């Protein structure tokens, strides 16, 4: 299963953190700091996989943002890359040509979208259309029930 | 008047506008104070906005614990906006460790049974993200109900929530196992995917569940086959591959079910072959499926042909231009190299190619795999490649590469000479990264290979000095001095150089002053090890010169396995050092211990006969051997008792140091076996004018009675003309309360003491 997903900028600023395994705040901070250091030190032409602690880390850089997933030993790295890409596509569709600023100023939306795509670290729906429709409906419901 | 609170986006903007960390902190602290106040006042309208702001600053690393209770309030609200932010807050701020988390159980229960799908979705999502064991136990019945609801939106989420619940509370397997059979008949991809994930989780946790689900293997095969042959579907395909997420998940479950089970493995054989051959490999999605297929094939009881197919797929992956694909191929091949060695061997050339990867994580994998593939038939070719790699590989891989090469060399060396060559090459290329015992191993190896001594010495000497055509003493000394002075030398190297110089002092016939000078300089060296050595060696020159030859003699061949012996071999076995032949500025001197001259001694036996070493490019060696001043070890001269009176005896012992034929060292020893002490003992000596005599200070003036500690005293006699030795002694001492004086000439001096 996926243990956690992080989004962070080139300058080491955290933009999103989703933890699928119960971890204390202190431990999370430590892991985030450590992993950010490792990933930011990677050169551009290196492969997207690395080993960190007892986990496998799959990361990909999209413009100024690093998308970083920690998976377990028996998980498939290549499909995790597809997973990351799917999430980026969803964000892109939702925000219309997404950029880092969208995720900064609308971080709750980024979480909501992620939560329609993954649950407990596993993929819930493999249809882009279906996920986007669900978000749309939730947004509608929010508007119906008062100002956001 | 109530100041309207900042909107979320305005706060974010303000924070980003801060120019320094301190400024940012200030802004945030101010805002948090407002937020706290707002929470205290209990403003329901803006609560969600306040929490959202709090969640933002929490992401930046600031404390947000005072928002925990607000999450509860928001979740309990009927407004969807509130619930959305409230649940998000719960997932980010509420921790299993805090009791507060249990308080949302009731809200979740309510929301689950409300029937509003987005709300149910929120509740399930939160439960699956941060639900503790207690919460899971409490809410399992609710989730179970939702598994069979009509709406796929809720069902798919309920299934994945069940997965989480089983992870937290394995006993709940009994609740969630029964519905799986029916769920597997669904057509909705999300539900199918969730179900397969659920079954996988159940099987991994319980052997009984595993047995139970083996019967669905045919159904799984059918689902996968349909997927693969279905063709393109816009909704679920990626790069022409039908729902790769679902395919990978099915393959993974098949792997678990087929492991160690002939029948299941048999059932899936054909399908696996079909997927392996038909999947489009032009993009990552297809390769992801192919990769999972390979993993499954290798893990179940598959037919031999299928296994070979799988290994070949990995081999093809190695040639893929995408380095991610190459990475997973190398990792997988490494896992397979033990079980399917010959199949992996077939891809050895490609693996070796991967050594040239620029990405260090790939070249590391390639290195591990290459080392695992070395065997007695390919060792020469592989070593060449590996040594080339060693020369250019990144520093953090050097140590592993070096030890890998050395280990492989040890296991598969075709000849001793090749083995020595290999070790020498590794040492010159990466000496600093090599473990210490490699050095000892090499000395032992060379020591044991008599016939290769000449060859080894030649190689070592050539490695030491790039361009030497003539060898003479001066050159050797100069070279060692250069090594000592070079700022690239490690302290260890310098240590070896110093010791080498000392050994040379007993073997070269020239003046030792140069050596003494160099040694004394290091007496004030900053490095403690070097300083100690230098001072010890200097003392050796000054006070114990007669012992120098004995101490610096050739060491016998050391036993390999004794760690003690190895230490000694390293410490005192000497000779020339290996230095970088080519200028490699980042690489400090590789240092090596080998006894250059002792090897010559050993090899040639009697050094007076140089010609039986090949006169060749190492013609230098012959010159070295031609030096006349490496005399055969002298036979020891017998001791002489020269005086005895009333239990007091005087003995003479003689040493002729081989490197200095004009020098004679006499040690007089005065012993006392009488009942009375001997005190105020003084001994004086005289020799003929042509000889030079130097008396050193005696060890004492008193010899206690009944065999007490004797007095010793050293005489140094220089006899360059080899004149016959004559010695007159005068003794004065007190014994039995009487003064004794004796003057006499020593008779029967052995001829060897002056000839």
């Amino acid at each position: 299963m996926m243990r956690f997903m992080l989004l962070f900028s080139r300058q080491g600023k955290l933009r999103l953190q989703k933890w699928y395994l119960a971890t204390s705040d202190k431990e999370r901070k430590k892991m985030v700091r450590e992993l950010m250091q490792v990933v930011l030190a990677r050169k551009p032409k290196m492969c997207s996989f690395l080993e960190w602690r007892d986990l496998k880390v799959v990361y990909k850089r999209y413009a100024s943002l690093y998308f970083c997933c920690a998976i377990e030993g028996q998980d498939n790295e290549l499909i995790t890359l597809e997973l990351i890409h799917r999430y980026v596509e969803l964000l892109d569709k939702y925000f219309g040509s997404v950029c880092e600023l969208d995720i900064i100023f609308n971080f709750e939306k980024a979480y909501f979208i992620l939560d329609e795509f993954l649950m407990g670290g596993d993929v819930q729906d493999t249809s882009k259309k279906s996920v986007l429709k669900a978000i749309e409906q939730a947004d509608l419901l929010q508007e119906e029930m008062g100002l956001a | 008047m109530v100041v309207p609170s900042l909107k979320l986006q305005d706060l974010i903007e303000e924070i980003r506008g801060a120019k320094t960390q301190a400024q940012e902190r200030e802004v945030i602290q101010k805002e948090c104070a407002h937020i706290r106040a707002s929470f205290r006042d209990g403003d329901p309208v803006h609560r969600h906005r306040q929490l959202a702001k709090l969640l933002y600053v929490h992401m930046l690393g600031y404390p947000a614990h005072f928002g925990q209770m607000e999450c509860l309030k928001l979740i309990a609200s009927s407004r969807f906006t509130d619930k959305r932010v409230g649940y998000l807050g719960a997932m980010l701020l509420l921790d299993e460790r805090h009791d507060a988390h249990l308080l949302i159980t009731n809200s979740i229960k309510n929301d689950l049974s409300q029937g509003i799908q987005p709300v149910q979705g929120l509740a399930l999502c939160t439960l699956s993200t941060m639900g503790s064991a207690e919460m899971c136990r409490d809410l399992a019945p609710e989730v179970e109900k939702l598994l069979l609801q009509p709406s796929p939106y809720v069902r798919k989420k309920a299934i994945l929530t069940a997965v989480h619940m089983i992870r937290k509370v394995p006993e709940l397997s009994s609740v969630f196992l029964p519905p799986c059979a029916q769920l597997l008949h669904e057509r909705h991809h999300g539900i199918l995917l969730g179900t397969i994930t659920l079954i996988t989780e159940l099987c991994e946790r319980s052997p009984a569940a595993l047995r139970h689900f083996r019967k669905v293997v045919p159904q799984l095969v059918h689902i996968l086959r349909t997927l693969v042959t279905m063709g393109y579907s816009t909704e679920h395909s990626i790069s022409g591959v039908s729902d790769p997420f679902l395919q990978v998940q099915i393959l993974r479950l098949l792997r678990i079910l087929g492991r160690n089970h002939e029948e299941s493995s048999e059932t899936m054989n054909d399908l696996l072959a079909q997927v392996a051959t038909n999947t489009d490999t032009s993009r990552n999605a297809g390769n992801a499926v192919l990769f999972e297929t390979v993993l499954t094939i290798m893990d179940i009881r598959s037919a031999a042909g299928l296994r070979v197919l799988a290994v070949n797929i990995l081999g093809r992956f190695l040639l893929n231009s995408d380095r991610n694909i190459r990475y997973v191929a190398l990792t997988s091949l490494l896992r397979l190299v033990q079980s399917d060695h010959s199949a992996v061997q077939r891809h050895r050339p490609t693996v070796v190619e991967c050594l040239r990867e620029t990405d260090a994580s790939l070249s590391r994998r390639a290195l591990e795999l290459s080392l695992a593939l070395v065997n007695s038939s390919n060792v020469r070719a592989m070593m060449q490649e590996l040594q080339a790699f060693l020369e250019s590989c990144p520093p953090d891989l050097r140590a592993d590469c070096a030890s890998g090469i050395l280990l492989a060399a040890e296991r598969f060396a075709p000849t001793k000479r090749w083995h020595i060559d290999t070790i020498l090459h590794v040492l010159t290329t990466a000496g600093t990264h090599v473990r210490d015992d490699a050095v000892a191993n090499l000395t032992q190896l060379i020591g044991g290979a008599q016939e290769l001594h000449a060859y080894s010495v030649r190689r070592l000497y050539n490695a030491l000095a790039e361009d030497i055509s003539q060898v003479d003493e001066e050159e050797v000394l100069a070279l060692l001095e250069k090594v000592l002075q070079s700022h690239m030398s490690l302290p260890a190297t310098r240590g070896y150089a110093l010791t080498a110089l000392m050994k040379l002092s007993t073997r070269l016939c020239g003046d030792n002053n140069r050596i003494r000078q160099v040694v004394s300089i290091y007496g004030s060296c900053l490095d403690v090890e070097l300083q100690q050595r230098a001072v010890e060696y200097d003392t050796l020159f000054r006070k114990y010169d007669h012992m120098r030859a004995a101490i610096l003699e050739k060491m016998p061949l050391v036993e390999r396995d004794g760690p003690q012996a190895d230490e000694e071999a390293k410490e005192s076995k000497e000779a020339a050092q290996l230095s970088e032949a080519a200028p490699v500025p980042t690489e400090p001197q590789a240092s090596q211990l080998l006894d250059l001259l002792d090897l010559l001694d050993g090899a040639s036996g009697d050094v007076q006969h140089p010609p039986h070493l090949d006169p060749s490019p190492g013609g230098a060696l012959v010159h070295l051997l031609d030096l006349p001043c490496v005399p055969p070890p002298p036979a020891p001269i017998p001791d002489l008792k020269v005086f005895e009176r009333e239990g007091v005896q005087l003995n003479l012992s003689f040493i002729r140091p081989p490197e200095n034929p004009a020098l004679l060292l006499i040690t007089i020893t005065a012993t006392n076996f009488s009942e009375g002490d001997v005190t105020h003992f003084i001994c004086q000596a005289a020799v003929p004018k042509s000889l030079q005599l130097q008396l050193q200070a005696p060890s004492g003036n008193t010899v206690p009675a009944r065999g007490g500690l004797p007095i010793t005293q050293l005489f140094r006699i220089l006899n360059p003309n080899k004149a016959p030795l004559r010695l007159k002694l005068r003794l004065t001492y007190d014994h039995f309360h009487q003064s004794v004086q004796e003057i006499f000439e020593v008779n029967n001096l052995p001829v060897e003491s002056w000839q």
Side-chain angles (χ1 to χ4, degrees):
Chain A
M1 68 175 255
M2 188 187 302
R3 293 276 183 96
F4 59 84
M5 181 190 286
L6 304 175
L7 265 69
F8 52 88
S9 70
R10 242 275 7 98
Q11 287 74 42
K13 281 259 191 293
L14 193 62
R15 298 301 179 204
L16 186 145
Q17 53 172 334
K18 189 77 187 180
W19 295 81
Y20 292 112
L21 193 69
T23 328
S24 73
D25 217 27
K26 188 168 128 195
E27 189 60 30
R28 286 185 192 185
K29 284 205 168 111
K30 188 162 153 217
M31 289 166 91
V32 168
R33 215 178 21 242
E34 222 181 276
L35 189 53
M36 275 211 267
Q37 221 175 11
V38 172
V39 172
L40 289 173
R42 303 273 289 184
K43 301 195 197 53
K45 284 274 162 63
M46 295 178 105
C47 74
S48 294
F49 312 133
L50 58 95
E51 265 152 35
W52 176 76
R53 298 197 181 190
D54 60 333
L55 300 171
K56 300 197 276 197
V57 171
V58 179
Y59 74 95
K60 190 143 184 217
R61 185 171 157 196
Y62 288 85
S64 58
L65 266 185
Y66 282 90
F67 286 70
C68 196
C69 293
I71 56 176
E72 289 173 344
Q74 61 292 38
D75 294 327
N76 183 328
E77 293 99 320
L78 298 178
I79 205 73
T80 310
L81 272 179
E82 289 301 323
L83 186 154
I84 291 175
H85 192 72
R86 174 55 65 87
Y87 181 45
V88 174
E89 281 179 329
L90 291 167
L91 290 169
D92 195 50
K93 208 58 197 272
Y94 182 81
F95 287 108
S97 262
V98 69
C99 64
E100 191 185 346
L101 277 180
D102 291 318
I103 302 189
I104 295 171
F105 282 95
N106 300 284
F107 73 95
E108 351 76 276
K109 299 275 168 55
Y111 275 107
F112 298 152
I113 295 169
L114 185 61
D115 286 342
E116 289 298 335
F117 176 45
L118 299 179
M119 247 181 72
D122 298 302
V123 176
Q124 348 166 355
D125 205 317
T126 54
S127 159
K128 232 189 304 188
K129 196 169 88 178
S130 174
V131 173
L132 289 166
K133 188 150 156 244
I135 309 266
E136 209 181 289
Q137 293 201 316
D139 282 348
L140 241 92
L141 191 57
Q142 192 168 309
E143 266 170 54
E144 275 173 24
M145 296 179 74
L147 286 167
Chain B
M1 178 176 126
V2 177
V3 175
S5 55
L6 269 179
K7 281 198 168 148
L8 169 65
Q9 308 211 331
D10 294 335
L11 173 65
I12 296 176
E13 192 124 20
E14 207 182 315
I15 292 174
R16 285 170 63 77
K19 300 227 175 23
T20 63
Q21 186 76 1
Q23 219 178 353
E24 178 185 286
R25 230 192 330 266
E26 208 184 295
V27 169
I28 290 176
Q29 271 169 358
K30 201 171 88 175
E31 186 57 32
C32 283
H34 285 312
I35 295 175
R36 276 183 128 117
S38 164
F39 285 161
R40 264 199 312 271
D41 294 339
D43 169 17
V45 176
H46 297 111
R47 194 180 282 139
H48 70 92
R49 177 198 285 177
Q50 306 294 53
L51 186 64
K53 286 188 280 185
L54 194 58
L55 292 178
Y56 182 78
V57 306
H58 175 252
M59 188 151 62
L60 293 179
Y62 294 87
H65 48 275
F66 54 90
Q68 285 170 359
M69 292 315 273
E70 306 307 308
C71 297
L72 267 60
K73 291 183 194 154
L74 284 167
I75 290 171
S77 156
S78 53
R79 283 173 59 191
F80 186 67
T81 313
D82 286 349
K83 282 189 193 286
R84 242 185 165 184
V85 179
Y87 274 120
L88 180 61
M91 287 190 271
L92 289 174
L93 299 181
L94 287 182
D95 191 333
E96 298 200 337
R97 275 154 258 263
H98 305 124
D99 289 330
H101 82 280
L102 286 169
L103 297 171
I104 64 172
T105 311
N106 231 28
S107 295
I108 292 183
K109 196 183 238 168
N110 290 339
D111 285 339
L112 286 179
S113 48
Q114 245 187 34
I116 300 173
Q117 292 188 19
V119 172
Q120 287 171 312
L122 286 178
L124 287 169
C125 182
T126 306
L127 189 50
S128 81
T129 305
M130 51 75 75
S132 64
E134 299 92 56
M135 284 168 73
C136 290
R137 270 193 216 100
D138 269 343
L139 296 165
E142 312 301 324
V143 175
E144 192 196 348
K145 267 188 273 191
L146 294 173
L147 282 179
L148 301 164
Q149 267 219 327
S151 152
Y153 176 81
V154 175
R155 285 169 90 184
K156 73 185 186 197
K157 288 180 192 274
I159 295 171
L160 286 178
T161 310
V163 173
H164 172 80
M165 287 185 157
I166 289 172
R167 284 179 184 149
K168 278 301 204 187
V169 186
E171 299 84 64
L172 289 173
S173 303
S174 51
V175 174
F176 294 114
L177 192 146
C180 286
Q182 189 183 344
L183 287 168
L184 214 47
H185 287 104
E186 293 294 324
R187 311 286 294 274
H188 187 272
H189 282 228
I191 294 182
L192 260 182
L193 185 55
T195 308
I196 293 182
T197 310
L198 179 57
I199 297 177
T200 307
E201 198 66 35
L202 287 164
C203 292
E204 275 177 343
R205 279 167 198 285
S206 147
L210 182 61
R211 277 192 298 275
H212 171 86
F213 281 111
R214 283 225 174 88
K215 62 177 192 273
V216 306
V217 169
Q219 196 176 355
L220 291 170
V221 168
H222 174 78
I223 295 171
L224 186 51
R225 184 171 280 129
T226 315
L227 258 184
V228 170
T229 51
M230 190 165 80
Y232 187 73
S233 124
T234 24
E235 207 178 336
H236 299 284
S237 296
I238 301 180
S239 317
V241 180
S242 311
D243 206 336
F245 294 110
L246 185 53
Q247 286 199 45
V248 165
Q249 204 64 23
I250 296 175
L251 286 163
R252 188 151 151 195
L253 180 54
L254 286 175
R255 178 153 82 244
I256 294 170
L257 295 173
R259 202 179 276 149
N260 291 326
H261 197 249
E262 281 295 339
E263 201 190 315
S264 302
S265 302
E266 180 93 17
T267 315
M268 44 179 102
N269 228 10
D270 285 344
L271 171 67
L272 291 173
Q274 188 182 359
V275 177
T277 37
N278 290 343
T279 308
D280 179 9
T281 56
S282 55
R283 306 290 293 280
N284 185 57
N287 285 321
V289 172
L290 205 50
F291 179 48
E292 196 72 31
T293 313
V294 166
L295 291 178
T296 301
I297 291 174
M298 297 318 292
D299 218 7
I300 63 171
R301 298 270 175 88
S302 45
L306 199 55
R307 290 184 86 84
V308 173
L309 175 62
V311 175
N312 287 347
I313 291 174
L314 290 177
R316 269 204 331 266
F317 273 4
L318 280 181
L319 298 166
N320 197 306
S321 52
D322 182 347
R323 65 176 60 85
N324 292 331
I325 309 270
R326 295 204 293 278
Y327 179 89
V328 299
L330 284 170
T331 322
S332 309
L333 284 171
L334 196 53
R335 284 213 295 265
L336 297 176
V337 76
Q338 303 299 338
S339 54
D340 295 79
H341 192 88
S342 44
V344 180
Q345 273 287 358
R346 247 172 260 139
H347 300 278
R348 190 170 54 81
T350 329
V351 172
V352 167
E353 268 303 307
C354 291
L355 282 173
R356 304 189 216 296
E357 294 277 357
T358 41
D359 180 346
S361 42
L362 263 83
S363 51
R364 176 183 284 281
R365 292 261 169 289
L367 174 64
E368 281 168 29
L369 193 50
S370 302
L371 286 170
L373 288 175
V374 176
N375 61 27
S376 39
S377 48
N378 62 31
V379 66
R380 279 184 200 263
M382 286 298 276
M383 279 306 155
Q384 247 181 323
E385 295 284 352
L386 287 169
Q387 285 181 334
F389 177 66
L390 184 61
E391 277 167 28
S392 56
C393 78
D396 51 340
L397 283 180
R398 281 247 168 97
D400 291 329
C401 187
S403 27
I405 292 178
L406 290 176
L407 245 126
E410 214 173 289
R411 284 179 67 193
F412 300 113
T415 62
K416 277 201 171 159
R417 175 167 163 155
W418 180 93
H419 194 178
I420 291 176
D421 277 342
T422 309
I423 301 185
L424 283 180
H425 186 261
V426 170
L427 287 168
T428 36
T429 329
T432 38
H433 298 271
V434 168
R435 279 173 47 205
D436 288 337
D437 62 353
V439 167
N441 288 347
L442 179 60
T443 37
Q444 204 265 358
L445 184 65
I446 295 185
Q450 293 271 62
E451 68 282 12
L452 290 170
H453 280 181
Y455 174 74
S456 317
V457 172
R458 215 177 308 140
R459 287 290 319 271
L460 287 169
Y461 200 79
N462 285 340
L464 174 61
E466 283 176 44
D467 183 25
I468 290 244
S469 47
Q470 278 271 74
V471 175
D472 61 17
E473 282 180 21
E474 290 299 308
E475 300 251 10
V476 176
L477 287 180
L479 189 54
L480 283 173
E481 273 177 36
K482 204 164 82 161
V483 168
L484 270 175
Q485 282 158 17
S486 164
H487 65 279
M488 292 202 296
S489 298
L490 288 178
T493 313
R494 291 215 176 94
Y496 294 154
L498 261 185
T499 320
L501 272 178
M502 277 310 293
K503 278 234 168 169
L504 284 178
S505 76
T506 59
R507 285 166 178 74
L508 301 179
C509 61
D511 196 355
N512 279 332
N513 277 339
R514 188 168 174 180
I515 296 181
R516 287 194 66 170
Q517 249 180 334
V518 174
V519 165
S520 60
I521 288 174
Y522 277 86
S524 42
C525 173
L526 278 178
D527 184 274
V528 173
E529 166 76 16
L530 288 176
Q531 193 187 98
Q532 183 180 355
R533 282 193 200 209
V535 169
E536 284 170 3
Y537 293 156
D538 202 40
T539 317
L540 206 54
F541 269 122
R542 276 191 284 117
K543 283 209 228 156
Y544 300 103
D545 211 19
H546 58 289
M547 289 163 61
R548 198 157 41 87
I551 290 181
L552 297 171
E553 241 178 34
K554 172 181 163 158
M555 277 278 289
L557 186 61
V558 185
E559 273 311 308
R560 189 160 208 171
D561 285 319
Q564 288 286 31
D566 278 353
E567 277 304 313
E568 280 165 31
K570 232 184 351 145
E571 275 304 311
S572 44
K573 222 170 165 63
E574 329 260 311
Q577 280 156 312
L578 299 178
S579 56
E580 290 292 337
V584 179
T586 53
E587 187 71 13
Q589 297 284 10
S591 53
Q592 171 56 302
L593 285 184
L594 230 302
D595 195 325
L596 181 67
L597 295 166
D598 280 345
L599 277 182
L600 293 177
D601 277 334
S604 55
D606 180 8
V607 168
Q608 299 328 36
H609 303 294
H612 81 246
L613 281 175
D614 308 340
S616 52
L621 227 51
V622 181
H623 289 280
L624 199 56
L625 288 174
D626 273 342
L627 292 173
C629 56
V630 191
I637 306 171
D639 288 355
L640 191 65
K641 186 165 93 171
V642 299
F643 172 81
E644 162 129 46
R645 176 179 158 154
E646 290 173 318
V648 180
Q649 273 180 22
L650 194 70
N651 263 19
L652 298 185
S653 56
F654 303 89
I655 296 181
R656 294 282 298 277
E659 80 282 9
N660 195 349
L663 182 63
L664 169 66
L665 300 167
I666 301 180
T667 308
I668 65 157
T669 312
T671 51
N672 179 7
F673 294 102
S674 70
E675 295 298 314
D677 295 339
V678 164
T679 56
H680 300 100
F681 183 92
I682 295 176
C683 173
Q684 290 163 311
V687 293
K689 282 213 179 65
S690 55
L691 284 70
Q692 271 179 39
L693 171 66
Q694 195 183 42
L695 291 178
Q696 299 208 338
S699 65
N701 296 111
T702 304
V703 191
R706 296 199 205 100
L709 189 69
I711 295 171
T712 58
Q713 190 172 12
L714 183 68
F715 299 166
R716 286 175 61 104
I717 298 176
L718 272 172
N719 187 0
N721 302 324
K722 295 205 195 299
L725 179 67
R726 288 172 65 190
L727 187 65
K728 209 166 188 180
L729 291 176
R730 178 170 178 264
L731 304 175
T732 56
Y733 58 91
D734 292 338
H735 192 207
F736 293 130
H737 309 291
Q738 279 182 329
S739 289
V740 174
Q741 189 189 252
E742 293 273 354
I743 304 178
F744 57 91
E745 179 159 345
V746 178
N747 298 320
N748 307 320
L749 280 167
V751 174
E752 302 90 323
S753 62
W754 51 269
Q755 266 188 343

